[in-house]
Amino acid sequence: MRGAFFLSALIGTDRRTRSPGIRTPGLVFGLCVIGGILSACAGSQPIPTRSVQTGNVEIAVIARDWHTEIGLLTNQVSGPLATVDPTTSGARYLLIGFGDRAYFADHDAGFGTAMAALFPGPSAVQLTTVGALPEDADHTIVRLHLPQEALDRILEFAWNSLDRRDGTTLTRVAAYGDQNVFYAGRQTYDSFYNCNTWTADALRAGGFPFEPSGILFASQVMEQVQRIASLQAPENAVKLTGQ
């Protein structure tokens, strides 16, 4: 019954109708969890208990349903990623996520495309710019604090996740409006390396103490993120909402 519930949710989403940054439940983000349904042995992740870094820069880890992504102020974006559309749109925030390329590139994607994502295939990196973070009941947002150099490493990880044909040229695989763009990714997407695995790897690249393997579910990411946030001392941090 539980599997039927998840799969029924996967086939009813038309991503062309949603506004940038507003994450509707369904196939797009259900792709992140299908592998978890078939791999239920993943279990809970150990929660970090040691001291963690902090800093005067803030990022947001955002979850909706089974999907996670990272949000930050566009004026905090450094390096080559700062020149990539839609980062240059002038919007306030940039959201960075990861997914299955075949689905994102297929305007008529449905159940078959979702099932194909169980198996290794090309990935895509989603860059979305929004005027405000999705502060509503459908989203969970946890803010983490870090030094700029740690954020730079997260951005470098995201940049290195993009497939660059000649070292610099990106391949745009889909766009839904000017502020919601998908680029070809370098990593392989499958049931064991999905959007949540990628989010954990990005945060780990920034120096946060994530466990090295076994992350499939958004809940596993957010459980660790919430624990890290509780270990930080954010009183001197620059708030995303205060910029």
Side-chain angles (χ1 to χ4, degrees), residues 182-225:
F182 300 85
Y183 293 96
R186 294 180 61 187
Q187 293 102 321
T188 296
Y189 182 99
D190 61 27
S191 57
F192 295 102
Y193 195 91
N194 59 34
C195 57
N196 302 313
T197 320
W198 186 91
T199 297
D201 278 351
L203 294 170
R204 191 182 300 112
F208 291 109
F210 269 77
E211 294 302 316
S213 62
I215 290 179
L216 298 175
F217 295 100
S219 61
Q220 292 174 303
V221 174
M222 300 309 286
E223 188 179 21
Q224 294 200 49
V225 166

Side-chain angles (χ1 to χ4, degrees), residues 3-131:
F5 168 78
F6 281 129
L7 292 176
S8 67
L10 300 182
I11 60 177
T13 297
D14 183 351
R15 65 196 179 283
R16 290 168 289 177
T17 64
R18 66 172 204 251
S19 300
I22 305 303
R23 301 305 195 244
T24 55
L27 183 55
V28 179
F29 307 120
L31 289 172
C32 300
V33 79
I34 298 177
I37 297 170
L38 300 183
S39 309
C41 60
S44 298
Q45 292 295 304
I47 305 301
T49 57
R50 61 183 183 273
S51 298
V52 297
Q53 68 179 351
T54 188
N56 65 349
V57 174
E58 184 179 88
I59 62 173
V61 184
I62 304 167
R64 173 162 182 170
D65 298 320
W66 309 291
H67 178 76
T68 55
E69 60 193 343
I70 296 171
L72 66 154
L73 289 161
T74 52
N75 63 16
Q76 293 174 337
V77 180
S78 62
L81 200 63
T83 66
V84 177
D85 290 336
T87 308
T88 57
S89 68
R92 192 177 182 85
Y93 298 100
L94 173 68
L95 310 181
I96 310 173
F98 179 81
D100 177 66
R101 188 187 307 177
Y103 172 76
F104 290 141
D106 184 354
H107 286 240
D108 298 316
F111 183 81
T113 310
M115 294 306 295
L118 286 169
F119 303 97
S123 66
V125 176
Q126 181 182 17
L127 301 179
T128 306
T129 52
V130 294

